[in-house]
Amino acid sequence: MSDLRHLPPELSSFVGRAEERAAVSGAVRPGQLLTLAGPGGCGKTRLAVRVCQDLAEAWPQVVWASLEDLPEGAEGGGDAVAARVAEVLDVPLPGGPDPAGALAHALRDRRLLLALDNCEHVIGGAAQVAAAIMTRCPGVALLATSRASLGVAGERVWRVPPLGLADALELFLDRAGVAGDPEATAGARRVCDRLDRLPLALELAAGWAATLSPAQIADSLADPYALLDGGARTAAFRQQTLEASMRWSHSLLDDDERVLFRRLAVFEPGFAADAVAAVAGLPAPAMLKALRGLIDKSLVVADPTGPVARYRLLGVVRAYAQARLVEAGEADAVRDRHLDRCLARLDELAPLLDTDRDAWRSAVGAEYPNLRAAVEWGLSRDDPAAGRRLAAGLSWLWHLEARGAEGLTLLRRAAERGAGERTPLQARVLTALALVADTTVPGGDGYRAAREALTLLSELDLSADDELAATEHLARSLVAIGWVGVDLDRAMADAVRSRDDARAAGGGFVADASQALVGLIHLVRDEHRAAVEHLEPAAARLLARGDRGTGSSALSWLAVSTAQLGDVARAAELAERAVATARPLHDFHRIAIATAALAELRTLQGRADDAAAVLAPIDELAAGADSPPYLPGWERSHAIVALHEGRAADAVAWSRRELRWLPEPRPELLLPESRLVLAAALREAGDREAAAELLAGLAADEDTTRARPRIRADLFEQQALLAEPGDPDAALRLHHEALRLRADHDLVLGCIGSLGALAELLARRGAAEAAGVLAGATSRARA
C-alpha cells in the first residue's frame, strides 16, 4: 500500500461523491494528466484526496503536492512548481534552465500517482511540469485540481459538479448538527437549492446553525455574500469566505473576461451564444474568446449536448457578477440590451405560432427565465413600452402551460402601466390578459378585458396592420367564450364573425379555434351532429399545426358530442387522444378538460376504477401546485365516480369543492351540470330536501333549461328519481318527458338512460311485460 503521509489531513467527515469517486478513479492512468476543474468551493481538493486514498493500493507511491501557497509569479515558468514537487518527493533538483525537464528526468523510471493541487494561480508552471512528465515519464499518473484547465496537449478535464441533493443535504445537516430533524431538513433543502449545492457555501452556511434555524438561514441567503463570511481561520485565505473564493477567481480573469463576466449577470440560468453576442457589447472574436476563458476557468458552465450549445452561471457566481455589474455602473444599459434581445428573439419565433405551435412553445419555453426577467425589468422602466410588448408576446405560452398565474400577474401590471391609453399596444396587452385568464381563472376579469380590447380596437384603423387585425379577431373570439355561459346567441354571433373574419384575412389559428368554439356552442345547445361537423375539421387543422391546447379541447368536446350521439367507445378513443395531446403541456386547464371527459366516459362504460386512475395524474398536479389551480370539470368527475361507486358523501364533498371558485359559495351558482350531480349526490346521501331545493332552483332558470335540452331532460330525470318512492305516477310522467326531450334532440346516450330508468320503475310497479321490453331495448342500445 502507498505511503499516504503527503496527503492533507481530513479534519471533517467526507460526504457523498460515490459516483464521482468511482468515475475519477477509473480515469486516472499512467502517462496521462487528468484535471479536476470547477469553481472555487465545489470540492475539487476533497474529491482528489479521496481518489488518492481509493487508489492507494493500486500505486506504489501516491504523492500530493499543494501549490496553493506559491506566489502568483510562478505562472510564467515551471521553476517554483518543479521545486515544490521535487521537495515533496525528496528528489534533488540540479540547477539549470529547465527545472521541469530535470524533474521529469529524475522521475523517468518511477511509477507513482502525483497530485498537483490548486494550480489555477500558477497555471503556466503547472502546465510546464505536467507536459514534461507526460512526455518522459510513462509510469507517472498526474491528477491536478484547478479552477481552469492546464491547457496541456493530451490533458483530460473532468468538471466537478455540485453535490447531488441527497449528498448536499447530508453535508449541511451534518455540519449544522441537526441531522434527523424533519423540520430542519425542509429548511436545509432550501439552503441547498439557493447555494447550488456547492460544498464550501454549504459549510459556511452551516456555521450559522448555532444562531439561526435552517429555514432562517435559507431566508437570509438572498445575498449569499453578506451571510457567508465566516469560514475556518485555518483555511486558505480564499476559502475563508465565499466572497474571498469568488474574488480569487475574478482576479485570474483578463480584461475582456471581466467585462463579459459581469455582463452575463443579466442572464437567468441558461443562455445561448447568440444572446451573449447581442448583450455583451464586445466584438464577436473577443466575446467568443472571453466566453471560452470563463468556461475554462469554471465560472461559466457549458452544455454542448443540445442542438445549440447553452451556458449558465451558478447562482452564487451570478450574485458576485451582479455586484460587479452594479459596481461598474453598467446594470441599466446591459439590462436594456437584454430586453431588446428578448424582444428580437420573440419576433424571430413569431412565424411558428401559425405553422408549428409546438415548436414555438418549446423554443420560447427554453428561454422563459430570461424572457420573464426581461418583462419584469421592462415594466419597471420609466417607459414600459418594451416590457409591455414582451409581456403581450408571451401570452400564448402562459395560455398553454402551467405558468398562467405568473403571466396574469405580469399582464395586469402591463395593463396598469398603459391605463387610459387608446393605443394598439394597450389593445394587444388587454387581449393577451384575456387570453391567459381564459385558462387560468374562471369568471369575468379576462372577458371584461377582451371586451375592453374590442371596444378600443373599434376606434383604430386596422386596415393597414395585419397583426392588429389578428388581435381583433382573437379578442372577438375571447368575448364569444365569455358569453357561452351567459348568452348563447351572442356567443354564436361573435364566434361566427371571428371565424369568418379570420378566414378572410388568412388567419389560420383564430379561424380554426373560432370554428371549434362554434362547435362547442352547438354542443352546449345539444345540437350534437352540428357540433361534430364543426369540431372534427377544426381539431384536425389545429393539431396539424401543433396547437395542443385548443386542439386537445376540441378533441374533448368532440368526444362529448360523439358520446351523446350514442358511440361511447369512439368517444372514449377521442378522449384518450385528447389526454395524450394535452399531457406534454403540463397545463392544469387543458389536461383537466381532457381528463374529466375521459373519466366521465370511463364511468359511463361501467369502469369506475379506470376513471379514478384517469384522474390520478391531475390529482398529483393539483396537489403539487403552489396555489389551487383552475381544473374545469375535475371536481365534477370525481363526484360522478364517487356516485357510481356508492360513495354519496364523497360525491357531495367533491361537488361542493367546486364552489371555491365562485364569488359566493352558493350551490345555485354552480354550472347546471354540476348542480345536477350535486342534487343526485344529496339524494343518494339521504338529504332529499336539499336535493329538491337545488333542482327547483334549476327549474326556475328557464333561460338555461330552454336553451339546453340535455340539462332540462336530466333535471326531469332527477326529479323523477326524487318522486319515485312517494309518487310513482309523477315519476313515470317525468321519465317519459325526459325520454321525449332526449329523443327529439338526438340525445341517444340519454335515451338509453331513460329506457333503463323506465324499465326499473315499471318492474317495481308490476308491469313485468312492459319492463322486459324496455330492458331489452336498453341492452340492445348499449351494445
Side-chain angles (χ1 to χ4, degrees):
M1 183 172 177
S2 299
D3 182 354
L4 300 178
R5 286 175 297 171
H6 296 296
L7 293 180
E10 292 188 299
L11 302 179
S12 59
S13 60
F14 185 86
V15 174
R17 296 286 196 195
E19 292 183 9
E20 290 92 334
R21 286 167 63 182
V24 174
S25 295
V28 172
R29 299 188 182 94
Q32 296 185 10
L33 165 65
L34 178 66
T35 300
L36 304 184
C42 74
K44 300 181 293 294
T45 296
R46 292 296 299 269
L47 177 58
V49 169
R50 274 296 162 133
V51 167
C52 288
Q53 292 176 355
D54 293 342
L55 294 174
E57 293 191 7
W59 291 89
Q61 192 174 15
V62 176
V63 179
W64 185 274
S66 177
L67 311 180
E68 67 181 6
D69 59 341
L70 293 183
E72 289 187 50
E75 73 266 18
D79 300 32
V81 176
R84 173 57 54 83
V85 174
E87 176 188 350
V88 172
L89 282 167
D90 197 20
V91 172
L93 200 62
D98 184 16
L103 174 65
H105 181 76
L107 301 178
R108 66 189 184 283
D109 297 323
R110 301 271 290 271
R111 185 168 181 273
L112 60 90
L113 169 57
L114 174 60
L116 303 175
D117 184 42
N118 284 304
C119 298
E120 59 271 355
H121 64 299
V122 289
I123 206 158
Q128 287 186 19
V129 168
I133 291 175
M134 289 172 67
T135 302
R136 306 178 197 181
C137 308
V140 177
L142 289 166
L143 178 65
T145 73
S146 179
R147 302 189 187 198
S149 63
L150 272 57
V152 177
E155 175 187 27
R156 288 169 301 142
V157 178
W158 200 90
R159 299 282 173 187
V160 178
L163 289 170
L165 178 58
D167 289 346
L169 279 170
E170 183 182 351
L171 176 65
F172 178 83
L173 293 169
D174 176 76
R175 300 300 192 260
V178 291
D181 181 346
E183 187 173 338
T185 300
R189 178 162 186 160
R190 292 171 53 214
V191 172
C192 293
D193 289 342
R194 292 198 173 191
L195 295 178
D196 303 301
R197 305 195 296 276
L198 290 177
L200 171 63
L202 293 172
E203 298 253 11
L204 294 172
W208 284 89
T211 306
L212 301 171
S213 70
Q216 289 173 317
I217 294 172
D219 291 339
S220 302
L221 287 174
D223 177 6
Y225 294 98
L227 187 71
L228 307 186
D229 62 351
R233 298 186 186 281
T234 55
F237 76 92
R238 59 183 176 275
Q239 300 288 354
Q240 289 178 11
T241 71
L242 189 61
E243 184 175 22
S245 177
M246 279 304 311
R247 189 165 61 246
W248 176 256
S249 290
H250 191 256
S251 72
L252 302 175
L253 305 180
D254 66 27
D255 289 344
D256 282 347
E257 289 170 347
R258 290 183 187 185
V259 170
L260 182 60
F261 174 67
R262 65 178 179 256
R263 293 177 182 175
L264 290 179
V266 300
F267 288 104
E268 296 294 321
F271 50 88
D274 58 350
V276 176
V279 171
L282 292 171
M287 185 277 292
L288 289 173
K289 183 178 178 183
L291 181 60
R292 180 176 178 178
L294 293 175
I295 295 168
D296 195 50
K297 294 178 175 69
S298 302
L299 291 173
V300 172
V301 179
D303 178 9
T305 57
V308 176
R310 294 185 67 79
Y311 312 92
R312 65 186 176 91
L313 300 178
L314 295 177
V316 293
V317 175
R318 182 170 177 249
Y320 189 83
Q322 286 173 326
R324 304 289 74 75
L325 184 66
V326 172
E327 184 179 80
E330 299 175 346
D332 287 5
V334 177
R335 287 191 180 281
D336 283 344
R337 290 204 294 270
H338 179 253
L339 172 57
D340 290 343
R341 168 57 194 164
C342 287
L343 275 168
R345 179 60 176 156
L346 214 56
D347 288 343
E348 291 168 11
L349 295 171
L352 288 175
L353 273 172
D354 242 356
T355 58
D356 190 344
R357 197 157 294 208
D358 256 359
W360 180 89
R361 183 175 55 84
S362 177
V364 174
E367 299 293 344
Y368 180 69
N370 282 295
L371 294 166
R372 180 198 58 222
V375 169
E376 290 174 342
W377 170 253
L379 294 179
S380 73
R381 304 295 278 156
D382 291 340
D383 179 1
R388 295 171 66 216
R389 281 179 53 212
L390 188 58
L394 284 173
S395 58
W396 278 111
L397 188 73
W398 290 322
H399 172 83
L400 287 169
E401 294 194 346
R403 306 183 244 216
E406 182 173 59
L408 208 53
T409 297
L410 291 171
L411 283 164
R412 282 172 173 154
R413 282 179 56 196
E416 288 167 5
R417 292 299 312 266
E421 286 186 10
R422 313 302 291 173
T423 61
L425 177 55
Q426 183 68 351
R428 292 188 178 104
V429 169
L430 289 169
T431 303
L433 193 159
L435 180 68
V436 177
D438 177 51
T439 54
T440 305
V441 292
D445 280 356
Y447 305 127
R448 280 192 289 273
R451 290 195 291 272
E452 186 179 344
L454 201 57
T455 300
L456 200 164
L457 286 159
S458 69
E459 303 169 7
L460 302 172
D461 180 8
L462 311 183
S463 59
D465 190 331
D466 291 343
E467 183 182 348
L468 203 57
T471 301
E472 194 261 355
H473 303 150
L474 178 58
R476 189 175 300 282
S477 179
L478 291 163
V479 167
I481 294 171
W483 286 122
V484 168
V486 181
D487 186 332
L488 288 175
D489 290 339
R490 293 186 69 169
M492 181 65 83
D494 277 326
V496 168
R497 179 174 172 184
S498 175
R499 179 197 63 190
D500 294 347
D501 287 353
R503 279 180 179 170
F509 165 76
V510 174
D512 294 334
S514 295
Q515 178 163 335
L517 178 57
V518 170
L520 172 63
I521 297 166
H522 280 300
L523 183 160
V524 174
R525 284 175 162 172
D526 292 311
E527 299 161 350
H528 294 290
R529 295 199 184 280
V532 169
E533 289 173 5
H534 284 83
L535 287 166
E536 274 190 330
R541 288 194 293 266
L542 288 162
L543 296 173
R545 67 165 56 85
D547 192 291
R548 291 181 178 273
T550 310
S552 68
S553 293
L555 285 172
S556 300
W557 302 330
L558 181 59
V560 172
S561 279
T562 301
Q564 289 300 319
L565 291 170
D567 193 345
V568 176
R570 169 64 176 153
E573 292 174 3
L574 290 165
E576 286 175 349
R577 189 178 171 203
V579 171
T581 300
R583 189 176 292 122
L585 296 173
H586 302 291
D587 164 49
F588 299 128
H589 183 92
R590 302 294 187 183
I591 294 175
I593 290 174
T595 301
L598 180 57
E600 292 188 28
L601 286 164
R602 288 284 182 255
T603 308
L604 282 171
Q605 292 174 315
R607 298 162 57 183
D609 288 346
D610 290 344
V614 165
L615 291 168
I618 198 74
D619 296 346
E620 292 175 12
L621 281 175
D626 293 334
S627 57
Y630 175 36
L631 303 170
W634 175 58
E635 297 93 343
R636 183 170 63 249
S637 295
H638 266 292
I640 290 170
V641 171
L643 267 178
H644 278 73
E645 291 181 336
R647 297 182 287 110
D650 288 345
V652 171
W654 274 107
S655 295
R656 285 178 171 159
R657 187 170 177 175
E658 192 174 337
L659 294 170
R660 73 188 190 278
W661 287 109
L662 302 178
E664 299 177 57
R666 291 185 290 138
E668 60 268 26
L669 296 179
L670 287 168
L671 290 172
E673 296 88 342
S674 299
R675 276 184 272 174
L676 287 163
V677 173
L678 176 55
L682 289 167
R683 173 176 50 77
E684 292 287 341
D687 193 348
R688 302 175 68 82
E689 184 177 340
E693 183 179 349
L694 194 58
L695 293 173
L698 182 56
D701 184 359
E702 294 184 0
D703 289 340
T704 296
T705 56
R706 187 185 306 111
R708 304 187 59 184
R710 181 158 62 103
I711 295 299
R712 191 176 176 194
D714 289 353
L715 170 64
F716 288 149
E717 181 176 74
Q718 289 302 317
Q719 289 176 325
L721 293 170
L722 269 177
E724 279 181 13
D727 191 349
D729 289 336
L732 189 62
R733 185 178 66 255
L734 287 163
H735 277 308
H736 274 297
E737 187 61 24
L739 177 60
R740 183 192 64 76
L741 266 172
R742 288 164 172 170
D744 287 349
H745 292 277
D746 221 5
L747 300 173
V748 177
L749 188 63
C751 287
I752 296 171
S754 286
L755 290 170
L758 283 166
E760 290 181 16
L761 182 57
L762 289 170
R764 286 198 296 271
R765 297 187 68 182
E769 184 177 349
V773 171
L774 288 175
T778 303
S779 298
R780 289 191 296 274
R782 283 176 175 156

